[in-house]
Amino acid sequence: VDCFFERRTSTAPRARCCSDAMVLEATIVLLDASEYMRNGDYPPSRLEAQQDALNLVGGAKTQSNPENSVGVITSGGGKGVEVLVTLTSDIGQILGCAMRVKPGGTSNLMAGIQVAQLALKHRQNKNQRQRVICFVGSPVAEDQAALVRLGKKLKKNAVAVDVVNFGEDAENAEKLEAFISAVNNDDNSHLVTVPPGPHILSDILISSPIISSNEDGGGGMGMGGGGGGGG
């Protein structure tokens, strides 16, 4: 489990082109759109902190390889699980969709991941590795055993998962650690816990394996990169 507490010096998230190895990957970003996203403990709010982080992740993924694709799904917002953008390399679509998210209701992490897995299964380029990046900023209602079963299924289907645990980080830690332990395959999946504080969420992610693992197609900061490309 990777915890990042340091304050970064940059004041705004910037997507960075940081790959020479050109890892080929399809990534679904799952945003938390629950009522909890109105909270201001991650300035300016949990929702806007996610939007900035999506800017960073989307830019890093599409810049590291022009054939990479990113999709965006939300869980919550009073609409259950909603696909905002299907897999695309168009950074404008990726960044623009987050502005339409309105917080409300509760988030269903497992349902969101299952929709993300289905979207990855139907990706056009089967050579792309599969990855889901989940932002979890509200209490995880799902049973830990069910999350572990889902993690094992994802591992079997060569889907890597990164989880950003923020907002309700202490409450969710045990469940998310068990989930990542189940899905992890040769250090290709990561849990990044970000406690509230003066730092900016996206600034913390810049130095995390979620972004730095793009650098060598494997493991930034000694951690693993993408999973396999099974269908």
Side-chain angles (χ1 to χ4, degrees):
V1 178
D2 308 295
C3 295
F4 293 87
F5 297 86
E6 76 272 26
R7 176 171 175 81
R8 304 291 295 177
T9 55
S10 61
T11 57
R14 295 293 181 185
R16 304 185 305 172
C17 182
C18 52
S19 175
D20 294 320
M22 304 286 282
V23 64
L24 183 61
E25 195 168 63
T27 303
I28 297 291
V29 180
L30 175 61
L31 299 177
D32 190 330
S34 69
E35 190 69 26
Y36 282 79
M37 296 308 101
R38 299 185 188 276
N39 292 353
D41 47 352
Y42 293 78
S45 70
R46 293 186 189 182
L47 178 62
E48 291 175 88
Q50 281 187 108
Q51 292 169 341
D52 288 343
L54 176 62
N55 182 344
L56 173 71
V57 172
K61 294 294 183 182
T62 55
Q63 290 179 35
S64 65
N65 189 324
E67 295 185 29
N68 278 355
S69 57
V70 177
V72 183
I73 292 174
T74 58
S75 180
K79 300 180 180 179
V81 178
E82 182 180 12
V83 178
L84 296 186
V85 176
T86 56
L87 288 167
T88 180
S89 57
D90 185 340
I91 188 64
Q93 287 189 47
I94 298 166
L95 302 185
C97 73
M99 308 309 296
R100 306 197 302 267
V101 178
K102 304 297 182 185
T106 59
S107 176
N108 187 322
L109 177 62
M110 285 186 62
I113 292 174
Q114 288 165 341
V115 172
Q117 181 187 8
L118 186 62
L120 290 170
K121 181 178 180 180
H122 293 289
R123 67 199 184 285
Q124 291 185 344
N125 186 347
K126 300 299 184 183
N127 291 322
Q128 290 174 319
R129 298 175 180 181
Q130 302 172 93
R131 180 173 298 277
V132 182
I133 299 178
C134 307
F135 286 85
V136 181
S138 57
V140 175
E142 290 85 349
D143 178 76
Q144 181 171 315
L147 286 167
V148 169
R149 287 194 297 271
L150 176 60
K152 291 179 178 178
K153 179 182 177 182
L154 293 164
K155 181 178 180 179
K156 182 179 179 181
N157 288 283
V159 180
V161 182
D162 294 321
V163 174
V164 181
N165 178 25
F166 72 108
E168 309 302 314
D169 46 295
E171 177 179 342
N172 291 334
E174 184 176 352
K175 289 181 178 181
L176 295 177
E177 287 169 7
F179 170 67
I180 288 296
S181 179
V183 72
N184 192 28
N185 183 13
D186 194 25
D187 286 332
N188 72 340
S189 299
H190 312 97
L191 172 60
V192 176
T193 295
V194 184
H199 42 252
I200 298 172
L201 181 62
S202 55
D203 284 356
I204 302 301
L205 293 183
I206 288 174
S207 61
S208 78
I210 293 176
I211 299 300
S212 62
S213 61
N214 282 332
E215 292 181 0
D216 54 13
M221 300 179 66
M223 303 301 291

